[in-house]
Amino acid sequence: MYLDKKIADSIYYVGVNDRQKELFENYLPLPYGVSYNSYLIVDEKVVLIDTVDVAFADLFFRQADAVLQGRAIDYLVVDHMEPDHAGAIGLLTQRYPNIKIVGNKNTFDFLKGYFAVNPENLVEVADGGTLNIGQRTLSFHTAPMVHWPEVMVTYEPSEQILFSADAFGTFGALNGSFRDNELDLTPFWSDMRRYYACIVGKYGPQVQKAIQKLSGLPLRTVCPTHGPVWSSHFSEVLARYDQWSKYETETGLVIAYGSMYGNTQLMAEAIARGAVDSGLHHIVMHNVSKSDASYILSDIFQYKGLIIGAPTYMNGIYPLVASLLHKIEERGIKNRIFGCFGGHTWADAAVKRLNTFAETMKWENVGAVANLRGFSTETECYNLGKAVAEKLLA
Ligand code: FEO
């Protein structure tokens, strides 16, 4: 049966859906799956843009063969070397021993580490370099650290298509179509923020640079390496990436806490009540022992307010909260209104660590509540929630 793969004249989608994998990069949950997108341009020369995870190579080659109808692939453009896209390059070069591989200097440094490639088949392009393939001339534009140093994007001017690598991607497999206007985008919007927060959230300034750099290119269609091919909804996607990469937020509060026996959780409940009573109605609460950190990070990228709580543990902070703090620190998240709380039985290490964390992040720290041996600090917690909410609403 023929499945429509056409994006534009002689340009085709040949990616695959992964609905099996539990964890992306072996640590990020994939409740809706993920797609590895690959694209074929059939001109006088045939060009493949990126491959897929090697586990899906068989399906990938069958899809490409259906489009190619016996033609060989002349060029592989490697926009990104991470193995979820580059994984099938070894098998591809076995199928097409004379295929030319297009990349930049960094691409080839990485490529040679992963695969035995014939150096004579490497076509190195610089930033802004071009490749004529017949009726079309592709251009290549480096976008370092979106998400690895070698990342580049490929532009096809006649159809105004940008092959954008991980930029503008999202988790979520494609349900029946790769076209944004044929999909229910509801699950993609929230999973896109989680994808952004976890994959490129550390590289906001580099994402901003890429957005500025590409702003001069007229775009009709954007083809990322994950998620839908964007056309009618691209302006919404761009606005979201622009907002997150500037660390801009909405008015709302994330309360994330660890609690071994429920005492620290009671503090969190009183904080939330205080925030609501101040008129703040966008509040998300996460028990770090239950919520996967990727969802907490995603909400932290959305909201301006963050209150974190933890018990003291081994004269330090509760380990799952320590891990969350590390993830926030490594992403360099900016400009949050912060508060903290914690419980202890004989030595208060948790709140000390949380106060130091706020200093390191250069955030405004509205207050801290420390609870000794589960004695009620309900009023102090309620007041902390109120104080943070009032700052947010000011
Ligand atoms: Fe989807 Fe950075 O690879």
Side-chain angles (χ1 to χ4, degrees):
M1 184 187 161
Y2 176 74
L3 296 176
D4 179 15
K5 302 281 181 196
K6 200 166 182 175
I7 295 170
D9 184 33
S10 303
I11 301 180
Y12 301 88
Y13 177 88
V14 288
V16 297
N17 282 319
D18 183 346
R19 301 182 196 275
Q20 283 101 339
K21 190 175 283 172
E22 290 284 346
L23 299 172
F24 189 78
E25 294 180 346
N26 226 4
Y27 85 110
L28 300 165
L30 290 171
Y32 307 110
V34 68
S35 69
Y36 312 115
N37 299 345
S38 172
Y39 304 94
L40 269 175
I41 306 173
V42 182
D43 202 312
E44 287 167 29
K45 299 290 183 187
V46 175
V47 179
L48 179 69
I49 313 277
D50 290 311
T51 69
V52 299
D53 186 313
V54 70
F56 292 84
D58 180 58
L59 175 59
F60 167 62
F61 286 126
R62 276 192 276 148
Q63 305 219 120
D65 288 348
V67 171
L68 290 168
Q69 299 288 312
R71 284 190 69 178
I73 301 173
D74 300 291
Y75 289 99
L76 166 69
V77 172
V78 182
D79 279 335
H80 185 17
M81 269 304 300
E82 191 167 7
D84 52 335
H85 312 294
I89 290 178
L91 294 173
L92 184 74
T93 54
Q94 283 174 27
R95 276 184 147 228
Y96 303 102
N98 298 321
I99 193 171
K100 304 281 188 205
I101 302 178
V102 181
N104 56 61
K105 184 177 178 311
N106 283 332
T107 318
F108 295 148
D109 283 348
F110 298 174
L111 182 72
K112 289 169 194 166
Y114 283 101
F115 303 104
V117 288
N118 180 351
E120 290 180 7
N121 289 342
L122 303 183
V123 179
E124 187 174 315
V125 290
D127 186 21
T130 58
L131 177 72
N132 180 267
I133 57 169
Q135 301 303 308
R136 306 153 195 275
T137 297
L138 305 178
S139 63
F140 308 98
H141 309 269
T142 55
M145 302 319 300
V146 187
H147 147 227
W148 280 17
E150 86 299 355
V151 168
M152 62 182 197
V153 298
T154 298
Y155 184 63
E156 196 288 320
S158 65
E159 298 288 348
Q160 300 181 346
I161 296 180
L162 181 71
F163 300 94
S164 64
D166 278 352
F168 313 121
T170 172
F171 295 135
L174 303 172
N175 299 335
S177 174
F178 54 83
R179 299 183 185 95
D180 62 352
N181 61 352
E182 294 177 338
L183 290 162
D184 175 4
L185 296 176
T186 313
F188 288 107
W189 293 132
S190 61
D191 240 17
M192 179 183 288
R193 192 178 63 239
R194 192 168 65 92
Y195 169 95
Y196 180 88
C198 296
I199 304 294
V200 282
K202 179 179 171 66
Y203 306 112
Q206 289 87 344
V207 173
Q208 271 298 306
K209 249 185 211 163
I211 289 174
Q212 299 307 324
K213 187 172 178 176
L214 300 173
S215 62
L217 295 176
L219 296 181
R220 211 179 291 157
T221 306
V222 173
C223 299
T225 45
H226 301 286
V229 167
W230 301 109
S231 49
S232 49
H233 292 272
F234 179 63
S235 59
E236 294 162 66
V237 176
L238 179 62
R240 283 171 157 87
Y241 266 71
D242 188 44
Q243 177 191 329
W244 300 326
S245 57
K246 289 175 178 160
Y247 299 97
E248 287 176 359
T249 47
E250 296 161 36
T251 300
L253 173 63
V254 178
I255 303 172
Y257 64 90
S259 186
M260 290 186 283
Y261 300 105
N263 293 308
T264 313
Q265 179 165 283
L266 279 179
M267 298 175 79
E269 304 285 6
I271 288 167
R273 183 72 244 174
V276 169
D277 285 352
S278 289
L280 186 70
H281 295 148
H282 290 102
I283 298 172
V284 187
M285 297 181 71
H286 286 288
N287 177 347
V288 297
S289 302
K290 184 164 185 226
S291 300
D292 183 85
S294 65
Y295 291 91
I296 308 175
L297 286 171
S298 176
D299 289 332
I300 291 172
F301 265 82
Q302 182 172 16
Y303 288 132
K304 175 90 172 165
L306 176 61
I307 303 181
I308 299 183
T312 290
Y313 193 92
M314 288 192 182
N315 207 26
I317 194 165
Y318 190 59
L320 291 173
V321 175
S323 170
L324 177 64
L325 299 184
H326 174 69
K327 290 180 172 76
I328 296 169
E329 281 168 342
E330 68 184 359
R331 281 163 180 76
I333 295 172
K334 298 184 194 343
N335 303 326
R336 294 302 187 270
I337 291 177
F338 184 72
C340 58
F341 61 103
H344 60 282
T345 304
W346 67 92
D348 177 18
V351 168
K352 277 189 192 133
R353 168 72 178 102
L354 288 164
N355 280 327
T356 307
F357 165 76
E359 274 173 38
T360 309
M361 299 302 294
K362 300 188 172 68
W363 291 348
E364 179 178 355
N365 189 352
V366 177
V369 178
N371 182 315
L372 174 64
R373 293 178 202 131
F375 289 120
S376 175
T377 49
E378 204 169 46
T379 305
E380 291 96 318
C381 289
Y382 179 87
N383 288 338
L384 175 62
K386 270 186 90 77
V388 170
E390 281 162 12
K391 288 264 179 196
L392 291 168
L393 293 166

